[in-house]
Each structure stands twice: as structure tokens, then as C-alpha cells.
């Protein structure tokens, strides 16, 4: 049986002849392995004091939740001025899904 729990961990369970369930494997290597671990416009890095931070030009949508470790709300623009100072951002060793990429 495959199961996705509330933390985003994919689990494979099986049962033996006595119908006792046992966990065979799971996928969630770390908190950054979960899709959108830091919400919209956030980036995850396990080596930072807080794993999540907002991309440049963005701030936490809910600072209270963010500071308590709940990053699910993601980030919003810091300013209402859109497009004026927008630039392309170079991200090194960015992971898309389960693959690490050099962008």
C-alpha cells in the first residue's frame, strides 16, 4: 500500500501472512525534499538557521507563522511596484522535484 502522510512523506507499507503492517521504505530525505516546503516564492536550504527564506523582493506572507517554523504560507512581494526593478535570479544547485539542477 502506498500512503502520503500529512507531512508530505510518501510511504510504502506491506503486510505479512499475519496481516501485520510494516513500513518498507519512505521518501522524504529532509524538510526541503517536500514540494513547496517554503511555500510560494520561498527557497529552502538546510544549512541556514531557518531552512526557508523568501526570494529577493519578497517577504513572509505571515511573519508570525514563518518565525514559528510554519513556512506553508509562502512569501509575497515586498513592494507593490511590479516590473520596475525585476531581474532574473541565478540560483545555484536548485532542486526541481527529486533532481538537483545547476541553473
Amino acid at each position: 500500500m502506498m500512503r502520503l502522510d500529512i507531512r508530505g512523506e510518501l510511504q510504502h507499507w506491506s503486510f505479512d501472512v499475519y496481516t501485520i503492517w510494516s513500513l518498507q521504505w519512505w521518501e522524504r530525505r529532509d524538510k526541503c525534499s517536500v514540494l513547496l516546503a517554503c511555500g510560494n516564492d520561498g527557497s529552502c536550504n538546510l544549512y541556514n538557521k531557518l531552512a526557508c527564506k523568501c526570494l529577493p523582493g519578497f517577504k513572509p506572507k505571515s511573519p508570525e507563522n514563518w518565525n514559528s517554523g510554519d513556512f506553508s504560507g509562502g512569501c509575497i512581494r515586498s513592494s507593490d511596484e511590479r516590473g520596475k526593478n525585476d531581474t532574473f535570479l541565478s540560483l545555484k544547485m536548485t532542486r526541481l522535484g527529486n533532481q538537483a539542477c545547476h541553473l
Side-chain angles (χ1 to χ4, degrees), residues 39-57:
N40 292 332
D41 302 310
S43 67
C44 192
N45 184 336
L46 294 173
Y47 302 108
N48 292 339
K49 184 176 178 182
L50 283 177
C52 292
K53 71 176 186 175
C54 293
L55 296 175

Side-chain angles (χ1 to χ4, degrees), residues 24-93:
Q24 299 300 309
W25 63 264
W26 65 94
E27 176 63 36
R28 183 182 178 211
R29 292 180 205 102
D30 53 56
K31 63 176 108 179
C32 291
S33 295
V34 176
L35 184 63
L36 289 175
C38 299
N40 292 332
D41 302 310
S43 67
C44 192
N45 184 336
L46 294 173
Y47 302 108
N48 292 339
K49 184 176 178 182
L50 283 177
C52 292
K53 71 176 186 175
C54 293
L55 296 175
F58 292 82
K59 63 183 180 184
K61 186 173 184 179
S62 171
E64 300 81 26
N65 291 353
W66 195 270
N67 292 329
S68 69
D70 176 7
F71 308 110
S72 61
C75 305
I76 56 173
R77 283 190 173 267
S78 302
S79 167
D80 288 334
E81 294 183 31
R82 295 191 175 155
K84 188 174 184 179
N85 295 316
D86 287 351
T87 60
F88 286 98
L89 186 62
S90 175
L91 301 173
K92 306 287 185 212
M93 286 302 297

Side-chain angles (χ1 to χ4, degrees), residues 1-3 11-25:
M1 168 183 81
M2 296 296 283
R3 176 180 180 252
Q11 302 172 343
H12 177 251
W13 291 80
S14 66
F15 59 89
D16 61 17
V17 215
Y18 306 106
T19 64
I20 297 173
W21 288 97
S22 62
L23 181 61
Q24 299 300 309
W25 63 264

